[in-house]
Amino acid sequence: AQQSPAAPVFRGLVLLPCTDSWAPEHHWATNMSLKAKQSKMAPPMTEGGDKPVKKQANKSKPHATNWGGYVLKLLKQVHPTMKISKQAMAVMVSCVEDTFERISAEAGNLHRRGDSKTLTTRDIQSAVRLVFPGELSRHAVSEGCKAVIAFKGGQEGDDDEEDEE
């Protein structure tokens, strides 16, 4: 192939004008991906030069909870025949996440003022009372207390079964 004086060169590829032949110098070079080219390189060595450097494990991303299933379960308890659109579900999930962030931030602020190192149910309860208004806060606190009692009751029952064996 004849090179024109103004033809740009990119990693050994000579690019010709666009009229219908932006062709590389070697046709096989365009089919090889960048990853394939990089994999042919020798692995980087340690300072001593005797062992290759080990790649660090990828840090896993925090698992995002999908609140949509819980919203749907609650909807089916209240209105068994009613459905919810994807947009409405997205709004509900956003609302749940916002509320969770507000309560957790307030609980963290309350906890920082105390002396203990453990975030307790009392911190969460106080945060709920501060974040939610009036009657909604009373209902939320009573439902939360019921949930904690049910959770602790289930744990105690599991401990008894292990002791009997």
Side-chain angles (χ1 to χ4, degrees), residues 33-144:
S33 69
L34 189 57
K35 270 190 177 179
K37 289 180 183 178
Q38 289 177 345
S39 66
K40 291 185 178 183
M41 294 178 12
M45 297 293 188
T46 56
E47 289 178 16
D50 53 347
K51 294 181 183 176
V53 177
K54 288 187 178 179
K55 211 175 192 183
Q56 290 183 350
N58 292 339
K59 292 184 180 181
S60 61
K61 295 179 182 176
H63 179 70
T65 305
N66 182 10
W67 300 106
Y70 300 105
V71 171
L72 192 60
K73 190 186 285 187
L74 183 63
L75 177 67
K76 292 301 174 187
Q77 284 179 354
V78 179
H79 295 288
T81 59
M82 194 172 283
K83 295 179 181 179
I84 187 167
S85 69
K86 286 183 181 180
Q87 284 182 324
M89 183 61 80
V91 169
M92 289 302 299
V93 166
S94 175
C95 182
V96 169
E97 288 174 349
D98 179 54
T99 303
F100 181 77
E101 286 176 14
R102 283 196 217 170
I103 291 171
S104 59
E106 191 61 44
N109 290 338
L110 290 170
H111 175 68
R112 259 184 252 121
R113 293 185 180 140
D115 292 332
S116 75
K117 294 183 178 181
T118 307
L119 187 67
T120 62
T121 55
R122 186 175 181 193
D123 296 327
I124 302 296
Q125 188 174 6
S126 300
V128 167
R129 284 193 172 133
L130 289 169
V131 170
F132 289 153
E135 190 71 22
L136 186 59
S137 116
R138 284 191 283 276
H139 281 293
V141 167
S142 77
E143 289 296 319

